[in-house]
Amino acid sequence: MTLSTELDCQACGACCSYSSEWPRFTTESDADLDLLPAHFVWADQTGMRCDGERCSALSGTVGSYVSCMVYDIRPDVCRACLPGDEACLTARAAYGLM
Ligand code: SF4
Ligand code: SF4
């Protein structure tokens, strides 16, 4: 796997808009989850709430300019997603971002 330092997440957002099943909470503590605004989280506390395939905490336009409204307290799976990894490239390809 070759990670890229050239991909600009703030001009992308594809991985935040790729699946209604993602991001799911994994290793977060209850204290960490309590920090997330409730309207961004599924009622059953399994993950970030999505609007369609797009995480509700993503603002902006995918492929143009985006930001994460909970960046400092984002879930662990979001921290683990790195520009240029397999999941990144799959999500980008779905949006025609190569
Ligand atoms: S798909 Fe890749 S480049 Fe785009 S926001 Fe996610 S990690 Fe960053
Ligand atoms: S919490 Fe932030 S980084 Fe994670 S999917 Fe949502 S918008 Fe993207």
Side-chain angles (χ1 to χ4, degrees):
M1 176 171 59
T2 301
L3 299 183
S4 173
T5 57
E6 297 178 3
L7 297 176
D8 180 1
C9 292
Q10 290 186 305
C12 179
C15 63
C16 308
S17 309
Y18 185 66
S19 170
S20 61
E21 303 292 317
W22 196 90
R24 306 285 269 186
F25 299 140
T26 52
T27 56
E28 294 83 358
S29 67
D30 287 345
D32 288 341
L33 297 182
D34 286 346
L35 294 174
L36 291 164
H39 60 282
F40 288 141
V41 176
W42 289 121
D44 63 4
Q45 292 268 312
T46 55
M48 297 296 289
R49 182 179 64 76
C50 291
D51 298 316
E53 296 184 331
R54 176 178 170 130
C55 176
S56 60
L58 185 70
S59 69
T61 302
V62 173
S64 178
Y65 182 80
V66 294
S67 64
C68 171
M69 291 186 273
V70 296
Y71 186 79
D72 290 341
I73 52 174
R74 67 196 186 283
D76 292 342
V77 291
C78 302
R79 298 172 190 275
C81 189
L82 298 175
D85 71 13
E86 186 176 346
C88 162
L89 297 180
T90 298
R92 285 180 62 89
Y95 280 89
L97 303 168
M98 308 307 282

